Structures are given as structure tokens and as C-alpha cells.
Amino acid sequence: MLNFDYYNPTQIVFGKGSVARLSQLVPADARVLVLYGGGSAERNGTLAEVEEALGERTVQRFGGIEPNPSYETLMEAVALIRREKLDFLLAVGGGSVIDGTKFVAAAVYYPRDPWHILETFGTEIASALPFGAVLTLPATGSEMNNGSVISRKSIQAKLPFSSPHTFPRFSVLDPVKTFTLPPRQIANGVVDAFVHVIEQYLTYPVNAPVQDRYAEGLLQTLIEVGPQALAVPEDYDVRANLMWTATQALNGLIGAGVPQDWATHMIGHEITAMFGLDHAQTLAVVLPAMLDLRREAKRDKLLQYAARVWNIDTGSDDARIDAAIARTRAFFESLGVKTRLSDYGIGTDAPQRLLAQLETHGMTALGERRDMDLALSRRVLEASL
Ligand code: NZQ
Ligand code: ZN
């Protein structure tokens, strides 16, 4: 096992009715900014429930945070907070709203132009406003980690940052709040969480059996509950299990002490920035080609994945790896998430343009061994068409 330093201070308050707990979770004298997205939280009553729980506190709203939250929009929230001297942030939404809130929290008192946070991947953040979250979409794990991904439309960039200062103080996870999600977002959430586990599991063995078995359990749970969540949208237990699985897929635990890949995510971010695909759609496109082309470096774990997650144990090594990749692709497709760039109307000129952006953003040595160069990214993108 590799050395690690694991720290996760986020309090999770889970279950039906837990939005009411905000009355205790948010400091009584806080001047609160509630941040939300394009209006789903307003339409389905979550925002009203949140504000009721906040009671007599000073509360202002900031709506309009887009999927793939933009620097441009978030800087408006930063200005509002500075102007109104607000001191506690509450994100109500999915990964985009929570990620956006992390950025705002770090940007308010950042001593330089806050875009510098993305240029330095968050390494120079020295403090952030305290914030909590009410999660409405199980997918990213942002509710229990310190990472965030921010887009800047004007330069077609989508870049990650993280910092010990950007963990939520708490996150409220009420599975009932996911009942209003459209099927596309449920499917996206299952794929995103699945790929989060894969990026931390499907690398090379370091004799870390508990991380492996935990990751395999999360993958098998997603394979089981993902289709159920689509088939029966208001099944509380299914949504509860999906929600808790997605949180654990990226709260740091399964990634402690093991190599991590993240190449699929970094290439996916460029596809979203350039073509606007949903985050999970990009992952569904890139991952099957990635696994196929990096099968030598990942051979041992691919065989383990085939056997333990998909119960494939006959045929040659390569035949089993082929079958596991095919099952992965078929799983994404069965949820309704397409797995080819061409399915999204993206043509053969895309790899060249995406490679230029990867280079601009310094994404030239990706993967668990940092040996994934632009030539290999090109092959992956060409195989994703
Ligand atoms: O904006 P509103 O109107 O609220 O609608 C949202 C949005 O259109 C809707 N939605 C959310 N909850 C709903 C709902 N609609 C009905 N009922 C509800 N209960 O869903 C749409 C998508 O929301 P979004 O927050 O964008 O989705 P998701 O949670 O998948 O977040 C994706 C973002 O997270 C980043 C991605 O890159 C992307 O920008 N990620 C963040 C990570 C992290 N912080 O650790 C890791 C991930 O790999 C990922 O990169
Ligand atoms: Zn993701």
C-alpha cells in the first residue's frame, strides 16, 4: 500500500426530512448566502424548505449557477458577498452548485485575481468562507470532498482545483430531494460515480485489498441500483443507496493508499469545455477507449475487474479484458448514456482541437504513472469517435 494522509472533516446528515437540521447546522448569527442553479430547487420547493429551516437568520439568494459552473457567473456572487458582508455560504443543488460555492468561498478573500486559483489548482488558497451543502443530485461526491471544477467560457477552459480549506462543513443528503431529477441526470450520476471509482481502482496493484474490495462493492452497487433508480424514480431505498454510493465514490476513502488515474476526467473536461457535453457523457465516451488502449499498463487490475465486478472468468486474458470493457460500455448505454463522440454530433476534426487544449492546460503527462502523453491521448480520442 502507498503512504497516505487522509482527512475528511465534512459532517454528513443523511435521510428523509434532514433539511430541517439546517436550523442547527448553520451558525445562529450567520449572514447566509444561499447559492443555487437554474431553478429546479425553486420549482420543487427545496429552496423554500431551506429558507424555512434558516429561520430568522439574514439570508440572501444567488441563483443561476449553470451546469459546469462558470467563473463569470461565480464572480457575481463574489461581488455580492463582499458588498453585503455575508459570512456563510449554503449550496443547494448538484455538483455544479457545490463546486461553484467552493470557488466562491475561496475567491472572496483571495489576494489576487481569483482565476489564479485555477491556474495553480488551488495550491495557494490560504482560507475560505465556511459553507455547507444541501445535495439534490447524487453524482460527483463534491458534497464530501474538497475538489471543484470551474469553467471559464471566454477561453473554453474547464479546470479543477482543490484545497484543505474547501471541504463543506456539512452536507445534508435527503434522497427524497432526488425524486424530481430527470432520467438523464440520474444516468449521468451513475456513470460519473462509476468512473470515479474506476479512476481510483483500475490502475495497478499495490496490495491494498480493502480499497479494492470497497471499490468493487461500490461498482456492483451502482450496477444494481442504477437501473432501478431509472425504472422506479420514487423508490426511497434505491435513491438512498445511490446517493450514499455516489458520495463514497469520491470522498477520498477508496483513493487513500492507492494509485489514481484521472486521465479520463481530464480529457473529458476538455470535451465539455469545447462541445458542451454533460460531464458524465464525456466519461462514457472516453473510458472504454482509454481502458482498451492502456490494457498493458492496467492488465492485472483489468483482469481483477473482469472477474470480480462482471464475473467473467473464462477465455484468454485478452478475451476477458475485451469482455469487461464491452460490459462497461453496454452498462453506460443501457442507462441511456451514449459512448461515442459521433453520437453527440462530434466529427473527426475534434481530436486535433482537443489535443491543442490539453497541451494549453498542461495535461501532457496524465494517468497513474504520468506516462500518458499527447500521442496516447490522441489515440484515445480517435478511438472514441
Ligand atoms: O440548475 P438546476 O435548475 O438546479 O438543474 C440542475 C442541472 O440542470 C438539475 N438538477 C439538480 N438537482 C435536481 C435537478 N433537476 C431536478 N431535480 C433535482 N433535484 O440537474 C442538472 C445538472 O446539475 P449539475 O449540478 O451540473 O450536475 P452534477 O451533479 O452531475 O455536477 C456536474 C459538475 O460537477 C463536476 C463536473 O465537472 C460538472 O461541472 N464534478 C465535480 C467533482 C468534484 N467536485 O469532486 C468531480 C466530478 O468528477 C465532476 O468533475
Ligand atoms: Zn466526475
Side-chain angles (χ1 to χ4, degrees):
M1 200 187 302
L2 308 179
N3 290 2
F4 65 88
D5 178 340
Y6 179 63
Y7 171 70
N8 195 315
T10 302
Q11 178 181 358
I12 297 294
V13 179
F14 192 98
K16 202 179 291 185
S18 40
V19 171
R21 290 282 307 281
L22 288 172
S23 62
Q24 298 129 27
L25 292 165
V26 176
D29 58 352
R31 294 173 56 80
V32 185
L33 183 65
V34 174
L35 300 99
Y36 59 102
S40 73
E42 203 164 13
R43 281 192 302 278
N44 60 31
T46 304
L47 214 53
E49 214 179 307
V50 164
E51 289 181 346
E52 195 190 327
L54 291 174
E56 299 301 305
R57 294 171 181 84
T58 300
V59 177
Q60 298 218 18
R61 288 183 177 191
F62 183 86
I65 297 177
E66 334 62 348
N68 311 304
S70 79
Y71 169 81
E72 289 87 347
T73 300
L74 297 169
M75 287 307 290
E76 292 174 30
V78 170
L80 174 65
I81 293 161
R82 288 177 179 157
R83 201 167 58 238
E84 299 290 328
K85 301 193 171 24
L86 304 172
D87 58 19
F88 194 94
L89 310 183
L90 185 60
V92 181
S96 293
V97 173
I98 302 174
D99 280 11
T101 300
K102 289 176 180 175
F103 175 76
V104 170
V108 169
Y109 297 116
Y110 199 72
R112 305 176 56 157
D113 172 358
W115 185 247
H116 185 254
I117 292 172
L118 283 313
E119 289 171 342
T120 50
F121 304 108
T123 51
E124 294 189 25
I125 295 171
S127 68
L129 280 182
F131 67 96
V134 174
L135 181 67
T136 65
L137 197 173
T140 64
S142 188
E143 66 279 9
M144 199 179 174
N145 69 38
N146 64 353
S148 166
V149 193
I150 301 300
S151 298
R152 188 164 186 171
K153 293 179 201 162
S154 57
I155 52 171
Q156 285 197 336
K158 179 172 179 177
L159 296 171
F161 79 89
S162 64
S163 160
H165 301 285
T166 51
F167 281 99
R169 294 284 166 104
F170 62 80
S171 284
V172 171
L173 276 57
D174 179 348
V176 174
K177 296 292 158 215
T178 74
F179 285 0
T180 54
L181 280 165
R184 167 170 156 188
Q185 298 304 340
I186 287 289
N188 280 348
V190 174
V191 170
D192 192 22
F194 195 92
V195 180
H196 292 159
V197 180
I198 292 280
E199 299 260 37
Q200 300 165 87
Y201 162 75
L202 225 165
T203 58
Y204 55 87
V206 292
N207 200 351
V210 77
Q211 289 91 327
D212 281 3
R213 299 267 187 208
Y214 194 168
E216 288 153 2
L218 295 174
L219 293 172
Q220 287 183 311
T221 305
L222 290 167
I223 291 166
E224 196 173 311
V225 301
Q228 294 169 353
L230 286 172
V232 192
E234 303 210 351
D235 184 319
Y236 178 84
D237 289 325
V238 167
R239 291 296 167 102
N241 285 305
L242 174 58
M243 205 169 205
W244 190 220
T245 306
T247 298
Q248 293 182 78
L250 196 49
N251 70 356
L253 190 56
I254 62 166
V258 298
Q260 302 194 13
D261 183 342
W262 300 109
T264 297
H265 268 72
M266 294 309 128
I267 295 178
H269 291 165
E270 300 297 350
I271 299 174
T272 294
M274 189 168 292
F275 298 106
L277 269 64
D278 293 349
H279 173 59
Q281 293 171 337
T282 70
L283 306 176
V285 162
V286 175
L287 184 73
M290 181 76 78
L291 295 180
D292 187 25
L293 286 163
R294 290 170 68 201
R295 70 170 62 207
E296 292 314 323
K298 291 180 179 290
R299 179 165 290 267
D300 292 342
K301 284 311 248 324
L302 275 166
L303 289 167
Q304 182 177 326
Y305 170 64
R308 293 198 194 164
V309 176
W310 296 109
N311 305 312
I312 299 165
D313 29 43
T314 54
S316 68
D317 285 3
D318 274 305
R320 281 182 281 152
I321 290 171
D322 286 341
I325 296 171
R327 292 289 293 274
T328 307
R329 185 188 293 280
F331 176 57
F332 297 162
E333 294 271 352
S334 76
L335 299 168
V337 184
K338 297 287 180 203
T339 60
R340 298 272 176 201
L341 283 173
S342 52
D343 293 325
Y344 301 94
I346 295 174
T348 50
D349 64 327
Q352 187 58 37
R353 294 171 59 199
L354 290 164
L355 283 166
Q357 288 297 77
L358 280 169
E359 188 164 21
T360 303
H361 299 141
M363 303 291 172
T364 53
L366 300 174
E368 60 270 23
R369 295 188 192 274
R370 305 287 166 258
D371 59 356
M372 200 177 155
D373 57 11
L374 288 177
L376 188 49
S377 289
R378 174 190 297 277
R379 290 177 61 208
V380 168
L381 284 164
E382 286 172 349
S384 305
L385 282 167

